[in-house]
Amino acid sequence: QVQLMESGGGLVQPGGSLRLSCAASGSDFSINAMAWYRQAPGKQRDLVATITSGGTTNYADSVKGRFTISRNNAENTVFLQMNSLKPEDTAVYLCNADIQSRSRRVVGLLEVWGQGTLVTVSS
């Protein structure tokens, strides 16, 4: 079974920066597209940024110019660099990956989610 684990969240003042990481663990898999979502209490889950296996990126309008998504394919890790943070960026950030599994039990495409990491932007 492939698992995703986010890290790097925490409390930061407005205008500050955080770098989130999401590492995939397991065996006999490869990762296609990866993405970051976020969800604030009582709000919908929104797509923040995506990155393809080739490195093509897309961003939500609310974060474009402030956030940068990147990936290290050798380490099966995706990052989200967040700069110029605003209080409205406060949310649980979740990692998502489109995975090709080649394990003995599961062969095919899987959609895998991490458990989330909390980002709080407050003075």
Side-chain angles (χ1 to χ4, degrees):
Q1 184 71 38
V2 179
Q3 297 183 4
L4 302 179
M5 181 63 70
E6 302 97 333
S7 62
L11 175 64
V12 64
Q13 293 189 353
S17 298
L18 285 174
R19 188 176 191 237
L20 306 183
S21 299
C22 173
S25 62
S27 61
D28 299 320
F29 71 93
S30 61
I31 302 176
N32 297 325
M34 302 187 77
W36 286 97
Y37 290 76
R38 68 185 182 185
Q39 186 169 22
K43 305 294 184 180
Q44 289 185 314
R45 181 176 296 179
D46 295 326
L47 180 63
V48 176
T50 63
I51 185 167
T52 68
S53 60
T56 301
T57 60
N58 284 292
Y59 299 91
D61 290 340
S62 59
V63 306
K64 194 163 189 174
R66 300 187 298 119
F67 291 11
T68 302
I69 188 172
S70 61
R71 62 192 291 169
N72 185 326
N73 291 332
E75 297 183 354
N76 293 322
T77 304
V78 64
F79 306 95
L80 186 67
Q81 178 66 47
M82 304 184 295
N83 299 325
S84 302
L85 283 163
K86 305 174 181 179
E88 51 263 45
D89 295 319
T90 297
V92 173
Y93 284 72
L94 303 105
C95 180
N96 173 268
D98 178 16
I99 292 176
Q100 174 67 56
S101 177
R102 302 180 183 88
S103 72
R104 292 181 178 179
R105 294 191 59 197
V106 179
V107 177
L109 292 174
L110 301 175
E111 198 77 40
V112 182
W113 290 86
Q115 64 181 355
T117 185
L118 177 63
V119 173
T120 302
V121 185
S122 176
S123 60

